[in-house]
């Protein structure tokens, strides 16, 4: 009974649900405190690189500009995240999500410095693009077959998402690209490690 319960829990999008809940709570708190949390957490090159407020690199992932921004990101996070979390597990999923958010914001900071951009940015989009990168790496390298998920479909989805960002206004496209690349690279490495373990296990059994 306990084993069955654990298997059932493993199949549930626990981390995705928690992330959505935390983002909603942070948005409500930021709205209630009338901008104080935004001032403390938005990604600004001067605050991070000059003042040393490195926590903004992660904290900005949980901030959203308005209800539409929040809804769009949380919709993608839950449904895309639930599928990926079921495939790779809670811990790896959380690792990819947070590192993608950080990677996206690091590339965003780099772009801001190179272009003398002093604007602030915020949102979970970089981390969510990391999930796109994860999905692409999975269909290319994991060896798993996921229903209705093919490399062509994933590439088209990514291309459309990037196009929407580059043709939109006030979009931190560097964060999107950074998150996408981070998620792809991390998942490709995880797939490579998994294949090495399987090969090593098979070699040991043959000996």
């Amino acid at each position: 009974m306990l084993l069955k319960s654990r298997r059932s829990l493993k199949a549930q999008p626990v981390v995705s649900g928690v992330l959505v809940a935390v983002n909603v709570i942070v948005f409500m708190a930021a709205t209630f405190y009338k901008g104080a949390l935004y001032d403390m957490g938005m990604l600004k090159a001067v605050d991070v690189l000059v003042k040393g407020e490195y926590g903004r690199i992660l904290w900005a992932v949980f901030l959203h500009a308005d209800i539409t921004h929040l809804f769009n990101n949380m919709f993608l996070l839950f449904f895309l995240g639930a599928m990926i979390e079921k495939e790779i597990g809670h811990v790896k999923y959380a690792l990819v999500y947070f590192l993608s958010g950080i990677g996206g914001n690091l590339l965003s900071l780099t772009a801001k410095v190179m272009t003398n951009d002093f604007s602030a940015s915020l949102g979970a989009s970089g981390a969510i693009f990391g999930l796109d990168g994860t999905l692409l790496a999975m269909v290319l390298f994991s060896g798993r077959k996921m229903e209705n998920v093919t490399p062509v479909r994933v590439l088209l989805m990514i291309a459309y998402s990037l196009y929407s960002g580059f043709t939109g206004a006030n979009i931190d496209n560097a964060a999107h690209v950074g998150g996408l690349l981070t998620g792809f690279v991390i998942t490709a490495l995880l797939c490579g490690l998994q294949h090495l373990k399987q090969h090593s296990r098979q070699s040991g059994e043959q000996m």
Side-chain angles (χ1 to χ4, degrees), residues 8-207:
S8 177
L9 182 63
K10 188 176 181 180
Q12 301 303 314
V14 177
V15 177
S16 297
V18 170
L19 286 172
V20 170
V22 170
N23 275 278
V24 171
I25 291 170
V26 169
F27 178 76
M28 293 172 64
T31 302
F32 179 79
Y33 286 107
K34 298 180 180 178
L37 294 182
Y38 290 113
D39 292 337
M40 293 167 54
M42 287 193 298
L43 191 70
K44 299 178 182 178
V46 172
D47 290 330
V48 175
L49 301 176
V50 178
K51 298 180 181 179
E53 297 177 2
Y54 302 113
R56 291 175 180 268
I57 296 171
L58 179 60
W59 179 240
V61 176
F62 292 95
L63 294 172
H64 290 84
D66 52 42
I67 191 66
T68 301
H69 188 204
L70 176 71
F71 177 81
N72 290 339
N73 277 346
M74 293 306 99
F75 180 85
L76 290 171
L77 170 57
F78 187 78
F79 288 101
L80 178 61
M83 178 176 63
I84 294 173
E85 185 176 354
K86 182 179 179 180
E87 292 290 331
I88 67 176
H90 307 310
V91 175
K92 290 179 181 177
Y93 171 75
L95 178 70
V96 169
Y97 182 85
F98 285 112
L99 289 181
S100 295
I102 292 170
N105 282 342
L106 287 175
L107 187 59
S108 174
L109 283 174
T110 302
K112 289 177 187 295
V113 171
M114 292 178 66
T115 59
N116 291 319
D117 182 359
F118 297 101
S119 64
S121 57
L122 71 172
S125 300
I128 294 169
F129 266 86
L131 300 183
D132 289 334
T134 290
L135 191 59
L136 179 60
M138 286 171 62
V139 298
L140 290 176
F141 307 126
S142 71
R144 293 189 183 96
K145 289 186 177 180
M146 293 177 284
E147 188 176 358
N148 298 321
V149 180
T150 66
V152 172
R153 288 180 178 179
V154 176
L155 284 169
L156 287 174
M157 178 185 70
I158 291 173
Y160 176 76
S161 298
L162 289 173
Y163 172 79
S164 298
F166 280 107
T167 56
N170 299 319
I171 305 295
D172 190 343
N173 291 294
H176 292 179
V177 174
L180 176 68
L181 294 175
T182 302
F184 180 83
V185 169
I186 291 172
T187 307
L189 290 173
L190 290 174
C191 290
L193 289 173
Q194 185 64 32
H195 289 315
L196 286 174
K197 287 181 180 178
Q198 290 175 352
H199 180 72
S200 177
R201 192 181 302 117
Q202 291 171 357
S203 298
E205 290 174 353
Q206 290 173 0
M207 292 175 64

